């Protein structure tokens, strides 16, 4: 199983939920998706897109209507148990057990997975998620962020090669979010394939090397983040002029995004025009260019383009 290329291979996946007497709520409409081994993968999409449904199928929490899923090379229909063991899931909602401290909780879970004492990695995992100091703390003494990290630790107890996180930072403040990102990155560096769902595009851009965008049960786009952004046919430039801009001078094939006195922001498609043409046209309209800057394309722009806003 070590020579597999993809951590997960999904083929023609469909999930229809029952609504009334018929199975006509199509949460997943039948698409293929591969998740490369060792990557940090972001599953993006608006609310109701089907993200949770998909990962719940991967984790064995929801039964697919049809299609095939291979986890770490194992078809979930052939060997449900081993496929499931290859994944650790961090659910969106957190329920903490009031009776166990972090150390006890992880030990208990290791026991549930049948991991022998000498093979357990309790200390290592607690240190990794920054909870070693709190290993004997009462659950009620743990902050929200610590509870989330405890959930990540719990999902790692059986040392699965794949970790799935459903909206790991939803409703979490910025500082804590950055800390969680560090923890997740660290796990990925150590070789864990990480799959997370998020509706924070900044998070996906920051963390993920591959993404898939799903919308209304369909796969809209998937690929390497850098490649996707490079191929995106949209550029934005900010130009400082020597005088106030008049809208009748908008250069051909550009869209005016904003005007603030003599500073304008323009977007254009590189297949239709280029920076040279844009600046020449401004010059021809009797503006002198004082300064220009180009913005890096953000995942957000790509996302808006794909989902039509
Ligand atoms: P996301 O996680 O992307 O927000 P979900 O996967 O939770 O989306 O939901 C996808 C669609 O399937 C939504 O329209 C949702 O209402 C529907 N859905 C999810 N779970 C169920 C269920 N148990 N029964 C009926 N419909 C469901
Ligand atoms: Mg969800």
């Amino acid at each position: 199983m070590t020579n597999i290329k993809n951590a997960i291979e999904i083929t023609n996946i469909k999930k229809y939920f029952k609504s009334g007497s018929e199975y006509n709520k199509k949460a997943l409409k039948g698409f293929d998706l591969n998740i490369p081994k060792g990557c940090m993968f972001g599953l993006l999409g608006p609310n109701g897109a089907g993200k949770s449904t998909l990962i719940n199928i991967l984790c064995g929490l929801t039964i697919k209507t049809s299609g095939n899923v291979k986890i770490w090379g194992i078809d979930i229909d052939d060997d449900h148990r081993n496929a499931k063991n290859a994944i650790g899931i961090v659910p969106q909602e957190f329920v903490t057990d009031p009776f166990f401290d972090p150390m006890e909780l992880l030990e208990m879970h290791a026991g549930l997975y049948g991991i022998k004492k000498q093979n357990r990695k309790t200390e290592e995992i607690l240190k990794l998620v920054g909870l070693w100091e709190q290993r004997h703390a009462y659950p009620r003494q743990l902050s929200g962020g610590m509870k989330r990290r405890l959930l990540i630790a719990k999902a790692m107890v059986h040392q699965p090669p794949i970790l799935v996180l459903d909206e790991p930072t939803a409703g979490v403040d910025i500082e804590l979010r950055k800390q969680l990102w560090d923890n997740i990155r660290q796990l990925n560096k150590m070789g864990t394939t990480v799959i997370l769902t998020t509706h924070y595009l900044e998070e996906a851009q920051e963390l993920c090397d591959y993404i898939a965008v799903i919308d209304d049960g369909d796969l809209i786009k998937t690929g390497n983040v850098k490649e996707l952004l490079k191929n995106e046919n949209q550029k934005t430039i900010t130009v400082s002029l020597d005088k106030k801009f008049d809208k009748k001078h908008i250069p051909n094939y550009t869209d005016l995004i904003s005007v603030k006195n003599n500073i304008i922001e323009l977007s254009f498609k590189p297949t239709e025009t280029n920076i040279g043409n844009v600046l020449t046209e401004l010059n021809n309209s009797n503006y002198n260019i004082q300064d220009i800057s180009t913005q890096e394309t953000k995942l957000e722009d790509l996302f808006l383009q794909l989902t039509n806003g």
Side-chain angles (χ1 to χ4, degrees):
M1 276 325 156
T2 42
N3 58 353
I4 52 160
K5 180 166 164 255
N6 294 313
I8 293 192
E9 289 182 5
I10 295 166
T11 317
N12 200 15
I13 187 80
K14 290 184 186 163
K15 176 66 188 180
Y16 297 172
F17 285 110
K18 206 168 186 172
S19 121
S21 60
E22 282 174 62
Y23 285 89
N24 54 11
K25 171 67 225 168
K26 299 181 177 180
L28 299 172
K29 293 177 178 169
F31 56 80
D32 301 349
L33 180 65
N34 288 336
I35 299 183
K37 194 174 152 184
C39 77
M40 185 89 97
F41 196 94
L43 199 54
L44 310 179
N47 263 336
K51 305 182 293 296
S52 293
T53 303
L54 184 62
I55 64 169
N56 287 342
I57 290 170
L58 301 181
C59 302
L61 300 170
T62 297
I63 298 177
K64 62 188 162 57
T65 302
S66 64
N68 288 94
V69 177
K70 272 190 184 175
I71 295 169
W72 218 249
I74 308 164
D75 191 309
I76 60 170
D77 295 329
D78 293 345
D79 188 351
H80 178 73
R81 196 186 151 88
N82 276 317
K84 203 174 152 177
N85 274 344
I87 290 194
I89 168 110
V90 181
Q92 189 172 345
E93 305 301 331
F94 55 78
V95 198
T96 41
D97 203 314
F99 304 110
F100 302 102
D101 67 33
M103 186 88 176
E104 291 167 330
L105 186 78
L106 295 202
E107 282 293 317
M108 189 177 74
H109 266 268
L112 290 178
Y113 274 102
I115 302 165
K116 295 204 184 83
K117 280 252 192 259
Q118 70 266 29
N119 294 331
R120 293 183 190 173
K121 295 255 163 81
T122 308
E123 177 173 347
E124 204 177 321
I125 295 168
L126 283 172
K127 284 182 174 162
L128 184 71
V129 299
L131 287 176
W132 181 243
E133 305 247 298
Q134 286 79 21
R135 63 191 179 280
H136 296 310
Y138 291 110
R140 63 181 154 75
Q141 293 172 316
L142 300 177
S143 69
M146 289 173 184
K147 284 177 186 156
R148 278 207 195 242
R149 281 183 276 146
L150 184 55
L151 281 184
I152 296 177
K154 198 170 131 186
M156 293 305 294
V157 156
H158 61 295
Q159 297 153 53
I162 306 168
L163 180 67
V164 175
L165 305 114
D166 197 0
E167 310 259 354
T169 62
V172 166
D173 66 50
I174 290 284
E175 199 169 321
L176 178 56
R177 200 180 295 166
K178 299 234 153 103
Q179 203 184 344
L180 282 170
W181 289 352
D182 284 343
N183 294 136
I184 297 169
R185 256 193 219 107
Q186 190 59 33
L187 283 166
N188 180 244
K189 262 198 211 126
M190 291 166 56
T192 310
T193 303
V194 175
I195 302 166
L196 56 95
T197 73
T198 183
H199 56 256
Y200 296 116
L201 295 168
E202 188 207 347
E203 178 161 287
Q205 179 142 10
E206 178 79 21
L207 277 182
C208 301
D209 26 38
Y210 285 83
I211 56 158
V213 178
I214 62 174
D215 192 9
D216 198 21
D218 279 320
L219 179 71
I220 308 287
K221 193 123 198 167
T222 184
N224 179 285
V225 174
K226 286 207 181 80
E227 294 290 314
L228 288 173
L229 291 177
K230 201 169 71 194
N231 295 337
E232 199 215 5
N233 189 20
Q234 181 90 14
K235 277 217 154 44
T236 306
I237 54 167
T238 305
V239 187
S240 280
L241 306 165
D242 59 334
K243 55 176 177 271
K244 196 165 182 276
F245 185 70
D246 184 334
K247 287 188 182 169
K248 71 173 185 258
H249 295 137
I250 297 176
N252 284 322
Y253 305 112
T254 68
D255 287 319
L256 184 65
I257 300 174
S258 70
V259 197
K260 226 189 210 165
N261 297 318
N262 60 327
I263 298 172
I264 58 170
E265 207 182 347
L266 296 165
S267 73
F268 61 89
K269 292 185 171 26
T271 48
E272 292 176 350
T273 186
N274 59 50
I275 295 184
N277 289 340
V278 174
L279 297 180
T280 305
E281 283 188 56
L282 289 169
N283 266 317
N284 291 344
S285 307
N286 279 321
Y287 294 100
N288 280 316
I289 315 291
Q290 318 242 291
D291 199 9
I292 58 164
S293 64
T294 57
Q295 278 89 48
E296 223 181 299
T297 318
K298 292 212 192 80
L299 206 48
E300 188 158 0
D301 306 322
L302 176 71
F303 188 73
L304 287 175
Q305 217 174 316
L306 290 172
T307 58
N308 283 320

